[in-house]
Amino acid sequence: MFRRRSTTLFIILVALPIALLVWLGTYLMRDASKRTEASMQGILAERLSIADYQLVDDMRQLTDSLDERSRDAGSGADAAQKVAMHPWVAQVWEADEEGITAEASGPLPFEPLEKIQHDQRAKAILNATQAEVVQMSSATGEENAASGNGGPPFQPVFGLGGDAISGLFPVQSNTSWQTFMKLPGYHLEEPIKAAGPKVPTLSGWHVSRMTFIYWQRMVDGRVLCALINTHLLMESLFPRLPHPGLEVPPGRMLLSNPGGILHQWGKRLEGSEGPSVAHRACSAPLGQWELSYTPANEEFPKPYLFPILLGMGSGVLLVLVVGWLYFSESSREITVAQQRVTFVNQISHELKTPLTNIRLYAEMASSRAEKQEDAPLIKQLSVISNESSRLDRLIQNVLSLARQQRDRLTISPKALILDDVIARTVDFWRPQLQKKGFEIVTDLHGPKEMMMADEDALVQVVGNLLSNVEKYGAPGHYVAVRTLVEGEKVKITVEDRGPGIPANKRKTIFEPFERLRSDLNEGVSGTGIGLTISRELAQLHGGSLSVCPYYREGSRFILTLPHQPHTPPS
């Protein structure tokens, strides 16, 4: 009756308020998260738009500069020579329907990533800028300018049949070609002229992933093409990002294409090294480039104020409930207090004995050293080393338990060869175990490649298991340590042929201060926290530590870890 009443009281006063608090807090946090995400995406979209505008505006200015060079040229050769004088131009050629009519070279040599056949590129541009399509595109630009809606400075143009140009003729390239025309009305001071009966003078870009060809179609139907030095173009565009006069963003802005990252900028504060959260394809003629942004942690703090205040109110309620329940739990608290007293006594005993041995053997070693008895000296120093190691392990477990109760244990996974770590740990324990007559068997078939794990934590876990074998498994005089890989898991087993662990104790032995035997006079010393710390370290790795229920010859502990191969940085 008392247990049923306690369960009902726990559900009413603790479980229901906590469930309601969790539901309400989750709802509010999701709502706030959605609002913050929407606001963040709006701000980042504007930031990407500004960067895109800067790139496209610089491309428009470059187009205007090249237009100006050929505006007053007479013959095709004269126009090609003037355009070729631009420092970023590598090659210039002029062509009509019959083929190439004039060529010129720029000031610096440049080899594009893909082979370019001049006549085929010129024919592709001529087809894309046919009279009917050009007049339609020009009219669209004039309508946008006249209506005041603005619009992009460049617009894709299409060839015969309405298909976008992606290379009308076979070219040795893995990228598609696109043709873009500069629209009128982009500048306020630019007059809008109605299209006459002849094909107007047009200009724009014919581009692939990393190749830029400026083109200008003459009134007589010829087309002037200029291959731009991509390296010089990017060296001029990228330093102007972000826009001159604007503050450098706290996160990381990336400009990339299918081949990889082209440029990145920003303060790159904490949190900005993760994956990008906002993306935008660049406007024409840079449509094969993409802008993306990863914000820093400080840019968009999460609104946790209200859930925290709500949690504080519920915490006060829980404290009151726990205070009332304290009286019904007093017997359990007394038991815990007794365990703590026992723990302190055992720790005192464990720390006192090694220190006494250290002092005793140190004195004996000093006495024998005076008589130059080297063999006993080595033996005594070995005892000193073993006892010091034992004391260090005990202190390490106590400190680990203190950290566990104060906050949480932590691990630092690093690349290691599992079998090497296990072999070194067994070798460290081998003298002590052999001294007590143990037969030691190792069967190591762990991962051959490096995996991610905390070496110190593994040494501590396996050391605690071997320490238990030394204490409790002595009657069997046998210990085996094995490693093997099972799918995506790695298993480490430590087994003995001692008295074993009763079935009703297989779970409780992992609780703090739990020991199969706790009397100090039995000759089995310990604190009862080694397995607790070992299980916690295994769980921090994403694994587990358990007792095999099917092993009947003694006890077998199984440490399971996820198989996480180490991938070296490229």
Side-chain angles (χ1 to χ4, degrees):
M1 178 64 68
F2 178 77
R3 182 181 299 274
R4 182 181 302 174
R5 188 167 21 179
S6 299
T7 303
T8 304
L9 185 63
F10 175 81
I11 293 175
I12 295 175
L13 297 181
V14 178
L16 290 180
I18 290 179
L20 179 61
L21 177 63
V22 170
W23 175 82
L24 183 59
T26 302
Y27 172 80
L28 293 174
M29 291 178 64
R30 286 180 178 176
D31 182 69
S33 178
K34 289 180 180 179
R35 294 176 182 270
T36 302
E37 180 71 17
S39 175
M40 179 185 71
Q41 290 296 335
I43 294 174
L44 297 185
E46 181 179 2
R47 189 171 293 168
L48 294 176
S49 296
I50 292 174
D52 177 59
Y53 171 81
Q54 176 66 30
L55 289 168
V56 176
D57 186 65
D58 287 345
M59 290 297 294
R60 174 63 188 234
Q61 293 185 36
L62 174 60
T63 308
D64 293 342
S65 174
L66 296 173
D67 288 348
E68 189 67 26
R69 287 179 175 269
S70 61
R71 190 182 305 277
D72 300 326
S75 63
D78 187 23
Q81 289 294 335
K82 287 188 175 182
V83 173
M85 294 174 61
H86 193 283
W88 299 350
V89 173
Q91 295 176 335
V92 181
W93 64 96
E94 189 180 61
D96 55 19
E97 295 292 346
E98 302 300 326
I100 303 297
T101 59
E103 291 183 291
S105 298
L108 295 175
F110 170 71
E111 289 293 334
L113 295 179
E114 52 190 304
K115 184 178 179 181
I116 297 177
Q117 298 184 16
H118 294 176
D119 58 339
Q120 293 184 359
R121 291 299 101 213
K123 290 180 179 179
I125 295 171
L126 286 170
N127 182 81
T129 57
Q130 56 181 308
E132 295 81 5
V133 176
V134 167
Q135 290 176 359
M136 184 181 301
S137 301
S138 300
T140 302
E142 294 172 6
E143 291 174 0
N144 290 339
S147 64
N149 295 329
F154 297 93
Q155 175 178 314
V157 293
F158 304 90
L160 294 171
D163 296 329
I165 299 301
S166 58
L168 296 177
F169 302 91
V171 180
Q172 299 298 326
S173 170
N174 294 325
T175 60
S176 61
W177 288 88
Q178 295 177 327
T179 307
F180 301 93
M181 183 186 70
K182 183 180 74 173
L183 295 178
Y186 183 70
H187 299 300
L188 293 177
E189 67 276 8
E190 180 180 348
I192 305 298
K193 298 181 180 179
K198 295 183 179 181
V199 178
T201 301
L202 303 173
S203 63
W205 293 91
H206 187 62
V207 301
S208 66
R209 188 177 69 185
M210 290 296 291
T211 306
F212 294 83
I213 298 177
Y214 161 82
W215 61 266
Q216 182 180 126
R217 183 154 183 172
M218 305 302 180
V219 177
D220 58 5
R222 291 176 294 119
V223 64
L224 178 69
C225 304
L227 175 63
I228 303 299
N229 188 318
T230 307
H231 302 309
L232 297 178
L233 175 63
M234 292 192 297
E235 288 177 1
S236 300
L237 292 178
F238 296 164
R240 289 171 53 78
L241 296 171
H243 191 284
L246 293 182
E247 184 180 358
V248 178
R252 181 180 62 157
M253 185 83 76
L254 291 179
L255 178 63
S256 59
N257 69 358
I261 298 175
L262 301 176
H263 182 59
Q264 55 182 322
W265 67 96
K267 296 180 181 178
R268 304 181 197 177
L269 300 182
E270 184 178 0
S272 61
E273 296 303 322
S276 301
V277 300
H279 303 264
R280 175 193 173 97
C282 293
S283 300
L286 306 176
Q288 300 194 40
W289 291 4
E290 181 186 72
L291 286 163
S292 58
Y293 185 75
T294 305
N297 292 337
E298 66 178 33
E299 288 191 76
F300 303 100
K302 296 182 178 180
Y304 286 134
L305 181 59
F306 184 76
I308 290 177
L309 293 177
L310 188 59
M312 291 177 60
S314 64
V316 174
L317 176 62
L318 290 177
V319 168
L320 296 176
V321 173
V322 171
W324 186 87
L325 292 175
Y326 170 79
F327 298 98
S328 63
E329 297 290 331
S330 58
S331 59
R332 188 181 65 84
E333 292 295 330
I334 291 174
T335 302
V336 172
Q338 291 174 346
Q339 291 176 336
R340 290 174 179 171
V341 172
T342 304
F343 170 71
V344 173
N345 292 335
Q346 290 171 338
I347 285 295
S348 300
H349 176 81
E350 292 291 344
L351 294 180
K352 182 178 179 179
T353 302
L355 290 176
T356 301
N357 289 334
I358 290 173
R359 289 193 297 268
L360 175 62
Y361 282 103
E363 293 175 359
M364 293 176 61
S366 299
S367 176
R368 289 181 179 272
E370 294 176 358
K371 299 178 182 181
Q372 298 181 351
E373 293 289 339
D374 293 341
L377 178 60
I378 295 174
K379 178 180 179 181
Q380 292 155 10
L381 292 176
S382 175
V383 173
I384 293 174
S385 176
N386 291 335
E387 292 296 327
S388 300
S389 299
R390 179 185 175 198
L391 179 60
D392 179 69
R393 291 193 301 274
L394 294 172
I395 294 175
Q396 182 65 31
N397 281 340
V398 173
L399 293 178
S400 297
L401 181 66
R403 287 196 301 269
Q404 181 193 35
Q405 293 181 340
R406 184 174 63 250
D407 38 47
R408 294 289 293 176
L409 288 173
T410 58
I411 61 173
S412 300
K414 296 180 181 178
L416 53 82
I417 298 296
L418 179 64
D419 287 351
D420 292 348
V421 175
I422 302 303
R424 287 196 299 269
T425 306
V426 174
D427 290 340
F428 176 81
W429 280 87
R430 191 179 299 277
Q432 283 182 259
L433 295 172
Q434 289 179 341
K435 183 178 179 181
K436 293 190 176 183
F438 276 88
E439 175 190 354
I440 304 172
V441 176
T442 57
D443 186 17
L444 306 180
H445 298 284
K448 302 302 180 183
E449 70 277 5
M450 301 188 78
M451 62 177 287
M452 298 300 295
D454 188 319
E455 180 175 350
D456 294 336
L458 292 181
V459 171
Q460 187 173 356
V461 173
V462 177
N464 285 335
L465 297 178
L466 292 175
S467 177
N468 285 341
V469 172
E470 178 193 10
K471 295 173 185 176
Y472 302 108
H477 299 289
Y478 174 85
V479 59
V481 180
R482 297 182 173 88
T483 62
L484 71 156
V485 179
E486 289 188 357
E488 297 181 354
K489 295 181 179 180
V490 178
K491 289 189 175 181
I492 306 168
T493 61
V494 178
E495 62 186 43
D496 60 60
R497 294 176 182 172
I501 301 173
N504 61 341
K505 291 286 187 179
R506 288 172 184 164
K507 292 185 179 179
T508 59
I509 58 172
F510 292 103
E511 299 298 326
F513 319 117
E514 274 292 332
R515 301 176 63 214
L516 296 179
R517 291 177 291 177
S518 58
D519 190 354
L520 294 176
N521 296 325
E522 292 178 355
V524 178
S525 59
T527 60
I529 63 175
L531 290 178
T532 303
I533 300 302
S534 298
R535 182 179 63 173
E536 181 72 14
L537 293 174
Q539 291 174 349
L540 288 175
H541 279 85
S544 63
L545 178 64
S546 60
V547 179
C548 179
Y550 308 109
Y551 188 70
R552 305 299 182 185
E553 299 180 7
S555 60
R556 173 186 289 168
F557 286 86
I558 302 176
L559 172 61
T560 303
L561 301 174
H563 186 196
Q564 299 177 345
H566 170 63
T567 304
S570 56

